[in-house]
Structure formats: structure tokens, C-alpha cells
């Protein structure tokens, strides 16, 4: 159909060289920034807009208030510095005054900022020697454009592409698409229900808006499309999973779960009660549960996990809990065995009508005869609850009837491992066990809807009462002039005081992402220096990822038994380690860690009755202050997750989860909650009526075109 509206697929087939003004050289430059076809060109959106009628003037600038001004370059010069850094200053101004710009380490600014060039400058003005100046502002070259609203495209100094070239190519592409128009894959009644503009209009407006209000409407439509594609995949996957798998309808009338809860030495929190109800409702259904449990460190996820596994045991099935490390599996085993000490299982074959519940540990360290016995008992149903590591999903491990699977600390396991454990349930009835994935890394709800959109999500948003909050302090080792600040010395004095009182401390060594080896070396050095210096009086231990698991365990056990008073460690202690007598944590080079990681680390203290303290140490006052400050301010994991998303942007979150990462150009997981909800609802509506998108070919085609292979498997799988 030569003149049917153009689909995204059609646009993707048009080489960028078909655009007027793009010759071989520009084509190469464009390829460098990932633009090879017309679709990629017109989905390269302006990163900002300059509204010429609504600009501040230089004379209006207020110290400390970020502002955008349109100015002309008056002069530029390079200032020689004695250090390795380079400095370029430019004097710019408009009719109301002048402003000086200072750029560090951007020597090319000298060439870029030619006299009389018109530029948009965005930054925070400071008063310096009585004059307004901005340091390292964002600068966009506008050139001699006349429109009221000027789109500013992402420019590339390296590929030598300017915003006005991009604008003219986009203009050319849209003009040439105009006769056929750009097709809209969204069914009209859905689009009208959402009161959204059509895609052809949206694409034109986003590039060349008449007003900022129009632009926002266009952005909403296009962002919605991005989110809808991701949701179609997630909702489709969920739908396929529920269609292809038969779950166990657990009998929820038995009493084991209630007896377990009644025997706990504490009442459940409201959140625990609510989440156990949510889980129970899933367990009673014929489709298998696939639920994510988010709960901050210490929120009491284990109790929920045990309650779920007991529901399985009650009906004659088994429960399994998989932890990411041996230390954690062992810790869970010890804790859960204690929680379940006196619990009996109904058993008709027994004279008393019941028997003792059997919980076993399976890790790579359990070998030989003991392992063979254990595997036989798992396969025969003699073991009710198995707790372990990856060993649980290895070849040769079979369950008699696996009913509920709990996976702890999910970010350590991949989707495949989840599937492998689920696969262990395929017994004679070919049922799929119910799966509960637990994570202590909270992510904001909107993000969860996207990143974990194929799972149901429960949240433990309440900590058990009586916790003493962890006091967190920011410490700077060296002051502005590079002298030791004294803060570190008083910190170590306080740590020594706690150790003298019989409490214990963790000292976390800098994370060195580039190299395991360097990280271990740094840890060893710190261990040596503390043994001779600040902590010379005490027995201290060293723990790092390159030690054998036997050695690691020996050290952990000594620490738990208080034979070591302080533990110098790399982030191997990040997850789950529980030593209530450890009340002090010192994190060195805290600015090298992310917020989520610092929060996890801090969760290793504050587990007992005594008030705990955490010191976050930075080498110098200039870096990482925001992140460390957030931790000083709050211990609420969900709040910190929001701050984290705010500071880092969502790129990191999406790329770790690899879901539609490449396709979210306009949508924001932080700000677009209503759009995310709308997209999810529409996806349910469409998939519910047409699971394989047979009546929605164009949408299916877009998903195929724009999302990575693993995201869209469900569409091609029968
Ligand atoms: P996490 O969510 O970090 O896995 P845990 O399940 O390990 O938390 O629980 C942390 C501690 O809180 C444990 O010592 C546990 O016994 C205790 N705990 C759990 N629920 C409650 C509650 N409702 N009231 C008091 N203490 C609780
Ligand atoms: Mg836990």
C-alpha cells in the first residue's frame, strides 16, 4: 500500500541518507550517536526548549537561583592554570547587563564560543568579586533562529552535530511524511477515552511546538506509547504465564499457619498481617502465585515467608527457600528452625495423627552420604521445608511436591534461576509452585510497576515496634586544605568506647568496582593499619570476597561468638548478616557507594536492643555529599529509594533490570505515575481480549521493533 499511513516500521526502513542535507559525512556522524534511519531521527527528541518570549534577562539574575538566559558571546579566553586543569572564561550578555562564564576542563569552549554567537545559558549565578558568574553552566547554541519556541537537541561535540542541523533534518523528515501521515496504532476508542492527541500530530508538535502547553500534550502521548509497549510485554508475559501453568489450590483451612503465628513471641505488624493475607489469597487460587515482597531491612519478611511455606506443608506439599549465599542460607536455617521448633504436621499415617515438622539445609557444602540421604528425603517428601543456596536448583535435586518457593534477596538471582526453581515443582500433576520473591531493596511503586510489571507486588511498609533508630553521622577525613579533620579521630574514639563496653563493630572498606583484586588489597591494607593503629587494643578480623567460603564462615562465626570485636570487611556483609551485638558501623569512602547499598550496609547494625550508630566517612568535603546526606537524614528505605531515583535518574534502574530500557526516551518513572497506570490498564484491556495481539498487528510490530529480544518472547511463543 503505497500511500497508507507510515508505520514506525516503515520509518525504520528509511535510511537517514534519504534526508535532505545528509551526505556521507553527516551520515557517519549520525551513526556515531545512534541515528541510522528516519525513525531514529524523529525519535531523537529535543532535550529542552527555549521560549524566546519568556526568558529572564541578565539584569534579573538572582544569586543562587538557577536560571536560563539568552545571551550573546562578547569574548572568550583561555586562562592558564598552574594545575593540570584547564579553564576557559567567556563574557556574555544582553541589553540589561553582562555575565561571566567559567568552564573547567572544557578547553574546546574556547573554539565553540565565538564572539557574537547567540547562546542559551542555564546555570546557577554566583556573586564573584562583585560580578555575576556561572561555573560550568549548560550552554546551547541557538544560532539565528526566529521561531518563538526553539527546540534544543542533544548535541554532540565529538560527532560535530549541532542542534539546528538536527532540527532541519527532522523538519525535512516530517514534511516528507506529511502526505501519507504517520499511522496511529492505538484503537480510536481507547485514544478518545484517554483524551490524547494522535501520533502524527504528537510527533510534529514535540519537535516544533507552538506553545509549551502543546508540547506537554505531545510528550504525554508519545511517552504513553513508550510505556504501553513495555506494559504490553509485561502484561502479556503475565498472561502467558497464567495460561501455561497450573498452580496448586492450597488448602487454606488448616491450622499450621495460625498456630505458627500464635506461637511467635511478638504480635504481627499490621503490614505483615496484610501481606500474609495477600499471599494467602494467591495461594488459594488455581493460578500459581508470582509475587514480589518488598520490605526494608528488618521489616520482618522471614515471618511472611515461613507463613507461606507452612500453607504448602499443611496440604502435604513442601516449601523451599533459596538464599544468595551460604552464610545467609545457614542463618535463615538457624532462625527458621528456631521459629518452627515445636510445630507439628498433620499426618494420618501416624498413630498420633501428627508428626514433627522437618526443616533441612541444603548447600554446596553438604556432600557425600549426608547429601544423598537428604536428596532422597526431599524426593520422598520426608523433608517439609528445604532451605538452601543455588544447590537447591542443581541437577539431581527433586522434590516430591514442591508447593511454595521463596527466593530471598532477588537482585542476586536472575529470571532463569527463578524459573529453574519453579521448574522443580513439576511433579506428577505438572503443577507449578507458588513463588514469593523477597527483596530488601525498595524501589518506588511506579518503578516497580514497570520493572517488575509481570509480578504482583506486596510491600511491608511498617517496621516492628521498639526499634531504636540508627544514628547516622557524616564524617569528613580531610578538610578543605587537606589536613586531617579531627572528625575521624573522634569517631574512632567512640568506636573504641563501644568495644570497651562489649559491643562490636563493622568497618566497611571502599568498594572498588573496577577490580576485585584492588578491593581486596585495599581491605587488607586497612585491616593492617587498624590492627596497628586505631583498633590495636582489640581482636579484629578480615572478611572479603576472595576468601574461601570455609574461611569466610570461620571468621563470621568468630565474630558472632564475640571472639572478634571488630570486622573489617568488603561489601560481602551487605546482605542479611545478623549479629545483634554489632552496634557500630564505619563505612570508609562512603561516597563510592550508592544510596541503596549504603542503606543495605547500615541495616547490618540496629538489630539489637542497644542503640546503634553508623558513620559514613568521606575523604574530602566535595564529593558524595548528597547521597551521604540523604542517609544521615532518613532511615526509611522507600524515601531513600525516591531520593536515589531523583539523584541518579532512572537510567540505572532500568538498565539493571533490562526492561525496555532503550525505548523509554520521554517517559519518566519518577514523574509519570498517571501515564504508567493508564498504560498498564490499557495493556490489560488489550491483552485480555487479544493475548497474542493478533488484532493489533501494528502494536505487536512496534513491540518487536523497539524492545530487546528477551522482552517480547511471549509474542512469538505459542
Ligand atoms: P527482614 O525483613 O530484614 O528479613 P527479618 O525477618 O529478619 O527481617 O526480621 C528482623 C527481626 O525482627 C527478626 O529478629 C524478627 O524475629 C523480628 N520480627 C519480625 N516480625 C516482628 C514483629 N511483628 N514484632 C517484633 N519483632 C519482629
Ligand atoms: Mg531477611
Amino acid at each position: 500500500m503505497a500511500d497508507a499511513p507510515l508505520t514506525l516500521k516503515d520509518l525504520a526502513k528509511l535510511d537517514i541518507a534519504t534526508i535532505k542535507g545528509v551526505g556521507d559525512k553527516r551520515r557517519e556522524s549520525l551513526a556515531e550517536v545512534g541515528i541510522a534511519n528516519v525513525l531514529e531521527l524523529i525519535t531523537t527528541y529535543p532535550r529542552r526548549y527555549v521560549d524566546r518570549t519568556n526568558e529572564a534577562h541578565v539584569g534579573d539574575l538572582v544569586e543562587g537561583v538557577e536560571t536560563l538566559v539568552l545571551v550573546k558571546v562578547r569574548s572568550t579566553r583561555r586562562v592558564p592554570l598552574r594545575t593540570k586543569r584547564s579553564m576557559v572564561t567567556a563574557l556574555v550578555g544582553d541589553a540589561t547587563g553582562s555575565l561571566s562564564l567559567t568552564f573547567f576542563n572544557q578547553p574546546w569552549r574556547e573554539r565553540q564560543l565565538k564572539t557574537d554567537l547567540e547562546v542559551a545559558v542555564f546555570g546557577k549565578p554566583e556573586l564573584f568579586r562583585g560580578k555575576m558568574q556561572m561555573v560550568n553552566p549548560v550552554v546551547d547554541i541557538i544560532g539565528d533562529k526566529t521561531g518563538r519556541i526553539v527546540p534544543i537537541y542533544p548535541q554532540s561535540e565529538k560527532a560535530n552535530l549541532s542542534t539546528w542541523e538536527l532540527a532541519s533534518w527532522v523538519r525535512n523528515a516530517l514534511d516528507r511524511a506529511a502526505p501519507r501521515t504517520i499511522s496511529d496504532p492505538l484503537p480510536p476508542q481507547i485514544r478518545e477515552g484517554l483524551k490524547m492527541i494522535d501520533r502524527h500530530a504528537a510527533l510534529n508538535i514535540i519537535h516544533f511546538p507552538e506553545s509549551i502547553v502543546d508540547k506537554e500534550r505531545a510528550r504525554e502521548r508519545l511517552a504513553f506509547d513508550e510505556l504501553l509497549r513495555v506494559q504490553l510485554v509485561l502484561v502479556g508475559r503475565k498472561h502467558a504465564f497464567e495460561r501455561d501453568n497450573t498452580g496448586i489450590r492450597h488448602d487454606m483451612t488448616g491450622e499450621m499457619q495460625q498456630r505458627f503465628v500464635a506461637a511467635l513471641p511478638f504480635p504481627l505488624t499490621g503490614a505483615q498481617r496484610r501481606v500474609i493475607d495477600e499471599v494467602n489469597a494467591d495461594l488459594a487460587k488455581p493460578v500459581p502465585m508470582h509475587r514480589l515482597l518488598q520490605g526494608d531491612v528488618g521489616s520482618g519478611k522471614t515471618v511472611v515467608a515461613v507463613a507461606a511455606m507452612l500453607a504448602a506443608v499443611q496440604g502435604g506439599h513442601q516449601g523451599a527457600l533459596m538464599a544468595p549465599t551460604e552464610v545467609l542460607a545457614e542463618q535463615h536455617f538457624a532462625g527458621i528452625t528456631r521459629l518452627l521448633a515445636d510445630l507439628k504436621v498433620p499426618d494420618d499415617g501416624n498413630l498420633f495423627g501428627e508428626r514433627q515438622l522437618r526443616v533441612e539445609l541444603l548447600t554446596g557444602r553438604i556432600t557425600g552420604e549426608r547429601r544423598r540421604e537428604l536428596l532422597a528425603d526431599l524426593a520422598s517428601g520426608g523433608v517439609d521445608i528445604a532451605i538452601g543456596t543455588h544447590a537447591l536448583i542443581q541437577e539431581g535435586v527433586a522434590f516430591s511436591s514442591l508447593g511454595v518457593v521463596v527466593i530471598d534477596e532477588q537482585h542476586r538471582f536472575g529470571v532463569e534461576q527463578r524459573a529453574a526453581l519453579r521448574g522443580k515443582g513439576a511433579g506428577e500433576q505438572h503443577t507449578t509452585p507458588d513463588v514469593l520473591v523477597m527483596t530488601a531493596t525498595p524501589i518506588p511503586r511506579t518503578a516497580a510497576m514497570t520493572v517488575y510489571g509481570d509480578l504482583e507486588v506486596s510491600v511491608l511498609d511498617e517496621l516492628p515496634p521498639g526499634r531504636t533508630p540508627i544514628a547516622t553521622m557524616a564524617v569528613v577525613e580531610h578538610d578543605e586544605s587537606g589536613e586531617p579533620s579531627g572528625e575521624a579521630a573522634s569517631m574512632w574514639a567512640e568506636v573504641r568506647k563501644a568495644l570497651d563496653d562489649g559491643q562490636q563493630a563493622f568497618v566497611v572498606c571502599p568498594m572498588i568496582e573496577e577490580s576485585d583484586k584492588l578491593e581486596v588489597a585495599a581491605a587488607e591494607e586497612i585491616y593492617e593499619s587498624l590492627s596497628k593503629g586505631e583498633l590495636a587494643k582489640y581482636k579484629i578480623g578480615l572478611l572479603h570476597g576472595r576468601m574461601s567460603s570455609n574461611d569466610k564462615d570461620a571468621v563470621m562465626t568468630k565474630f558472632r561468638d564475640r571472639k572478634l570485636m571488630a570486622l573489617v570487611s568488603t561489601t560481602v556483609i551487605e546482605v542479611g548478616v545478623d549479629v545483634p551485638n554489632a552496634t557500630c558501623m564505619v563505612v570508609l569512602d562512603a561516597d563510592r557507594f550508592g544510596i541503596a547499598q549504603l542503606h543495605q550496609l547500615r541495616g547490618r547494625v540496629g538489630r539489637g536492643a542497644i542503640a546503634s550508630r553508623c558513620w559514613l566517612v568521606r575523604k574530602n568535603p566535595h564529593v558524595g555529599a548528597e547521597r551521604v546526606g540523604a542517609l544521615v537524614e532518613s532511615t526509611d528505605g522507600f524515601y531513600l529509594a525516591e531520593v536515589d531515583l531523583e539523584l541518579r535518574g532512572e537510567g540505572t534502574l532500568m538498565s539493571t533490570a533490562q526492561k525496555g530500557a532503550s525505548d523509554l526516551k520521554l517517559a519518566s518513572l519518577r514523574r509519570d505515575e498517571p501515564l504508567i497506570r493508564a498504560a498498564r490498564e490499557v495493556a490489560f484491556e488489550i491483552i485480555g481480549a487479544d493475548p497474542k495481539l493478533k488484532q493489533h498487528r501494528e502494536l505487536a510490530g512496534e513491540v518487536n521493533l523497539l524492545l530487546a529480544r528477551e522482552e517480547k518472547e511471549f509474542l512469538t511463543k505459542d
Side-chain angles (χ1 to χ4, degrees):
M1 275 182 293
D3 41 19
L6 290 156
T7 62
L8 299 191
K9 222 174 181 165
D10 295 332
L11 294 167
K13 279 190 206 138
L14 293 172
D15 191 280
I16 194 70
T18 57
I19 297 298
K20 206 175 124 211
V22 179
D24 283 351
K25 228 177 113 207
R26 310 317 274 147
R27 192 164 178 271
E28 251 170 57
S29 305
L30 284 163
E32 255 180 68
V33 295
I35 303 176
N37 61 51
V38 172
L39 177 64
E40 284 162 354
L41 176 67
I42 64 171
T43 53
T44 300
Y45 301 111
R47 75 179 148 107
R48 290 191 307 111
Y49 300 83
V50 173
D51 182 344
R52 296 188 165 236
T53 57
N54 201 15
E55 292 317 308
H57 298 291
V58 172
D60 307 330
L61 288 176
V62 177
E63 195 185 353
V65 180
E66 282 197 324
T67 314
L68 180 89
V69 284
L70 278 183
V71 289
K72 247 189 190 163
V73 177
R74 293 181 178 162
S75 65
T76 304
R77 74 186 188 99
R78 187 171 176 149
V79 183
L81 291 183
R82 241 169 286 149
T83 63
K84 275 200 186 121
R85 305 212 300 170
S86 79
M87 178 169 145
V88 171
T89 61
L91 190 68
V92 299
D94 61 13
T96 65
S98 65
L99 168 71
S100 94
L101 310 179
T102 302
F103 301 93
F104 288 107
N105 294 331
Q106 302 170 35
W108 48 272
R109 292 284 188 195
E110 188 188 6
R111 270 172 292 121
Q112 184 203 31
L113 299 175
K114 299 199 170 71
T115 304
D116 283 340
L117 194 66
E118 202 182 343
V119 291
V121 175
F122 180 73
K124 195 185 276 185
E126 294 157 11
L127 219 43
F128 182 69
R129 295 191 184 142
K131 279 207 61 163
M132 281 293 187
Q133 81 156 18
M134 288 184 187
V135 177
N136 290 343
V138 178
V139 175
D140 290 306
I141 296 169
I142 314 188
D144 52 355
K145 287 287 160 298
T146 47
R148 184 162 90 77
I149 294 179
V150 182
I152 307 282
Y153 288 90
Q155 298 160 50
S156 166
E157 181 67 23
K158 209 172 90 221
N160 193 22
L161 290 171
S162 67
T163 175
W164 62 83
E165 279 176 306
L166 279 161
S168 77
W169 296 330
V170 171
R171 182 73 272 164
N172 184 249
L174 291 173
D175 286 348
R176 288 168 58 185
R180 282 174 65 177
T181 74
I182 293 166
S183 159
D184 195 332
L186 204 58
Q189 74 283 6
I190 291 182
R191 182 168 70 74
E192 280 150 27
L194 293 164
K195 298 194 168 53
M196 281 187 174
I197 61 174
D198 72 58
R199 183 183 276 172
H200 180 87
L203 278 166
N204 276 278
I205 294 171
I206 191 112
H207 289 287
F208 305 104
E210 294 278 315
S211 73
I212 294 297
V213 176
D214 284 357
K215 180 229 88 188
E216 188 46 34
R217 295 213 62 201
R219 189 200 72 88
E220 255 176 31
R221 170 57 212 264
L222 298 169
F224 174 84
D225 289 357
E226 294 173 354
L227 293 164
L228 178 60
R229 288 191 282 269
V230 174
Q231 291 298 336
L232 282 171
V233 171
L234 294 167
V235 173
R237 189 185 294 156
K238 184 166 149 56
H239 195 276
F241 173 75
E242 288 170 3
R243 181 197 58 202
D244 298 343
N245 292 281
T246 314
I248 301 165
R249 222 188 253 272
H250 291 277
D251 173 13
M252 303 307 296
T253 57
E255 286 189 345
M256 283 182 68
Q257 206 185 60
Q258 279 114 293
R259 272 193 273 147
F260 160 67
V261 169
L264 287 173
F266 42 74
L268 294 181
T269 63
Q272 281 171 322
R273 214 170 276 288
R274 189 189 69 237
V275 171
I276 290 176
D277 285 347
E278 286 167 1
V279 168
N280 284 350
D282 282 358
L283 294 178
K285 284 186 204 155
V287 286
M289 169 168 78
H290 202 197
R291 185 173 282 278
L292 176 75
L293 172 57
Q294 288 196 54
D296 216 337
V297 189
S299 59
K301 293 185 288 297
T302 315
V303 167
V304 176
V306 171
M309 292 192 287
L310 287 176
V313 174
Q314 174 83 49
H317 304 286
Q318 295 157 298
L321 185 151
M322 182 160 81
T325 65
E326 290 188 346
V327 174
L328 285 175
E330 282 161 20
Q331 199 169 280
H332 266 308
F333 175 68
I336 290 174
T337 313
R338 220 178 307 125
L339 283 174
L340 295 174
D342 298 317
L343 215 64
K344 301 280 193 290
V345 185
D347 181 3
D348 296 338
N350 185 301
L351 193 55
F352 303 98
E354 53 181 28
R355 61 177 173 80
Q356 183 63 39
L357 179 85
R358 190 167 156 208
V359 184
E360 293 288 354
L361 174 71
L362 181 65
T363 65
R365 217 177 301 159
I366 292 163
T367 54
E369 185 53 28
R370 173 91 189 94
R371 184 180 184 83
R372 271 191 291 282
E373 253 176 48
L374 198 54
L375 294 189
D377 290 349
L378 275 175
S380 70
V383 173
D384 300 297
I385 292 179
I387 293 169
T389 53
H390 292 78
L392 286 172
I393 57 175
Q394 271 157 10
E395 284 276 317
V397 180
F399 291 80
S400 115
S401 175
L402 185 56
V404 168
V405 169
V406 179
I407 301 176
D408 195 13
E409 308 296 356
Q410 100 108 23
H411 58 290
R412 302 270 161 138
F413 294 111
V415 176
E416 312 81 54
Q417 284 156 320
R418 257 193 266 162
L421 190 49
R422 210 192 286 134
K424 295 284 175 194
E428 273 159 38
Q429 283 79 39
H430 295 288
T431 51
T432 302
D434 292 278
V435 175
L436 183 68
V437 178
M438 305 198 294
T439 172
T441 312
I443 64 174
R445 266 184 195 266
T446 52
M449 255 191 281
T450 311
V451 180
Y452 298 113
D454 55 340
L455 280 69
E456 305 290 331
V457 178
S458 287
V459 181
L460 280 180
D461 49 9
E462 185 186 345
L463 289 183
R467 298 272 160 90
T468 332
I470 304 164
T472 305
M473 280 77 59
V475 174
V476 176
E477 263 182 80
H478 302 281
D479 63 16
E480 301 271 346
S481 53
E483 296 296 310
S485 67
E487 288 177 20
S490 45
M491 167 185 84
W492 290 116
E494 292 203 39
V495 171
R496 282 191 295 269
K497 214 159 103 214
L499 300 190
D500 288 338
D501 286 345
Q503 298 162 33
Q504 289 163 286
F506 291 110
V507 179
V508 181
C509 301
M511 179 175 63
I512 300 172
E513 256 178 54
E514 301 78 26
S515 155
D516 230 22
K517 234 183 181 160
L518 284 181
E519 185 168 287
V520 169
E524 280 166 347
E525 203 182 305
I526 290 164
Y527 170 78
E528 290 301 323
S529 107
L530 287 176
S531 320
K532 291 188 197 110
E534 301 287 0
L535 301 180
K537 270 201 306 178
Y538 309 90
K539 279 210 170 340
I540 73 176
L542 173 65
L543 193 70
H544 61 70
R546 291 210 156 190
M547 291 163 62
S548 73
S549 54
N550 276 333
D551 289 351
K552 266 192 268 187
D553 252 50
V555 172
M556 255 341 276
T557 307
K558 272 193 196 161
F559 187 62
R560 216 171 284 157
D561 296 345
R562 305 188 193 185
K563 293 192 177 112
L564 296 171
M565 294 310 283
L567 193 58
V568 176
S569 167
T570 57
T571 50
V572 288
I573 57 148
E574 183 186 344
V575 179
V577 172
D578 196 2
V579 181
N581 190 52
T583 59
C584 294
M585 167 162 292
V586 173
V587 183
L588 298 171
D589 284 8
D591 48 279
R592 284 176 178 256
F593 296 90
I595 287 186
Q597 217 173 2
L598 288 173
H599 181 62
Q600 286 295 313
L601 283 169
R602 181 169 59 179
R604 299 307 117 221
V605 294
R607 310 205 130 220
I610 310 168
S612 289
R613 283 165 298 170
C614 173
W615 290 270
L616 302 176
V617 183
R618 284 180 297 138
K619 275 228 163 59
N620 85 52
H622 294 295
V623 282
E626 273 169 320
R627 271 172 290 150
V628 167
L631 278 122
V632 170
E633 189 189 321
S634 173
T635 52
D636 176 347
F638 280 93
Y639 168 78
L640 290 171
E642 297 273 359
V643 175
D644 200 20
L645 199 55
E646 200 63 46
L647 289 180
R648 286 194 307 166
E650 47 231 28
T652 344
L653 182 72
M654 289 304 283
S655 63
T656 50
Q658 294 180 336
K659 291 222 171 70
S662 52
D663 192 32
L664 292 188
K665 293 180 172 169
L666 292 170
S668 157
L669 296 188
R670 279 173 285 172
R671 288 185 276 268
D672 284 330
E673 177 165 359
L675 284 181
I676 294 172
R677 287 189 192 285
R680 194 161 170 78
E681 263 171 44
V682 169
F684 270 106
E685 191 181 327
I686 292 176
I687 294 282
D690 178 20
K692 300 196 68 82
L693 300 183
K694 292 221 154 71
Q695 320 299 319
H696 297 82
R697 289 327 266 256
E698 200 180 332
L699 274 177
E702 289 183 7
V703 169
N704 272 315
L705 184 66
L706 291 164
L707 300 185
R709 187 164 44 81
E710 66 269 27
E711 337 277 12
K712 61 199 183 205
E713 253 171 11
F714 85 99
L715 285 172
T716 45
K717 189 177 100 193
D718 271 297

